[in-house]
Amino acid sequence: VTATNIAMVDLHAQQRRLQPGLERAIAGVLAHGAYILGPEVRELERQLAAFAGARHCLSCSSGTDALVLALMATGVGRGDAVIVPSFTFVATAEAVVLAGATPYFVDVLEDGYLIDPGEVDRAMAQIRAQGLRPRAVIPVDLFGHPADYGAIEAIAKRHGLIVIADAAQSFGAQQSGRRVGTLAAVTATSFFPAKPLGCYGDGGAVFTDDDVLAGVMESLRVHGKGRDKYDNVRIGINGRLDTLQAAILLEKLAIFAEEIEARDRIARRYSERLAGIVRTPAVAPGSSCVWAQYTIALAGRDAVAERLRERGVPTAVYYPKPLHAQTAYRHCPRSAGDLPVSTRAAGVVLSLPMHAYLEEATQDYIISALRGSLR
Ligand SMILES: Cc1ncc(COP(=O)(O)O)c(C=O)c1O
């Protein structure tokens, strides 16, 4: 294998496999012309709910809007604090601000960078001391690993917090025999193209077992619609998923379980061959991972990334700056400990090429290039 054309996520390989079905699906939408909330949207929601084992799935325009819908539907707003890990993509905190509430940043665990349940517990008193009402927590399933929902649920119950899962990176994963989509009161996911299940544009979905919440989110998704189309009963958003994207997702969902297996096989192969050389990601007992990213940790990360680039191996840093240090979020309240793990993580993480079509020879090249880059 030479170093040409190694991709972080090879969407073309998947497209070659799905080409005829995708073309049929797209042509079908062009033929019926129901571009907004067409039959493919309902069918996708039915299949996604079944896949997750959730009572309700509602597709929407992005993972960000999925979080906004979940927060709006649960009544989170002004004066409320929503506990968010600092080491995540900006949308987790942005949605909180868009809903009118205040993100309260807590730190993540050293091993795996998922939200630290102990931090959630400790945050309660600190939030009240700042005159805010602790209302909800958004665990993030970073890189495809479900957060520790058992521990978080116990703390949330004790304090009356709503748990909203940011599963943008983890749809398809499981914990304790349950799929992502059923691990929290409401779950938000993303179908951004590079996600394990991605469309060809922006898209997302929310999951819940709660009939009332599902009804409210359906209304919010279309401007807060009521029974009568021209009597809107609440303030909502324009948050629908396009029918074309739903048609594309239906084709991709048909092979998703198989792709999850392939991703897991590839991740295990990385871990076997990189053990003892760099810090490799571990899957928690009782959980599975869909490997939205395969992320190692190492000293001298930037120099190694540069040497890999010279050898034709792309890498990415998710995330180089924790949210509490970003310009728009610097003023937000945060845990008394000042988030040392999030800060350290930003300096050492490195994500390697990861997708279901990564061939062994290519992976071997990446691994030997990495070994050669560690000096
Ligand atoms: C953790 C996390 N939350 C939220 C989002 C937002 O999803 P989207 O880009 O579909 O709005 C993403 C992905 O981009 C994400 O990785």
Side-chain angles (χ1 to χ4, degrees), residues 61-65 67 88-92 140-142 166-169 189-192 195 202-204 319:
S61 40
S62 69
T64 306
D65 282 345
L67 287 166
T88 177
F89 182 63
V90 63
T92 316
V140 176
D141 299 346
L142 198 71
D166 183 342
Q169 305 182 8
T189 197
S190 165
F191 303 128
F192 185 83
K195 295 290 191 249
D202 279 308
Y319 298 93

Side-chain angles (χ1 to χ4, degrees), residues 281-297:
V283 180
S287 291
S288 72
C289 180
V290 289
W291 305 103
Q293 301 296 338
Y294 183 88
T295 304
I296 58 173

Side-chain angles (χ1 to χ4, degrees), residues 106-118:
V106 296
D107 213 355
V108 294
L109 294 164
E110 189 79 55
D111 190 7
Y113 313 121
L114 299 170
I115 191 170
D116 180 349

Side-chain angles (χ1 to χ4, degrees), residues 49-75:
F51 190 94
R55 249 175 95 74
H56 303 280
C57 168
L58 223 76
S59 61
C60 63
S61 40
S62 69
T64 306
D65 282 345
L67 287 166
V68 169
L69 288 171
L71 288 158
M72 288 175 85
T74 48

Side-chain angles (χ1 to χ4, degrees), residues 35 144 320:
Y35 302 121

Side-chain angles (χ1 to χ4, degrees), residues 169-182:
Q169 305 182 8
S170 67
F171 186 68
Q174 306 188 31
Q175 186 168 81
S176 311
R178 296 182 331 190
R179 285 251 193 218
V180 163
T182 65

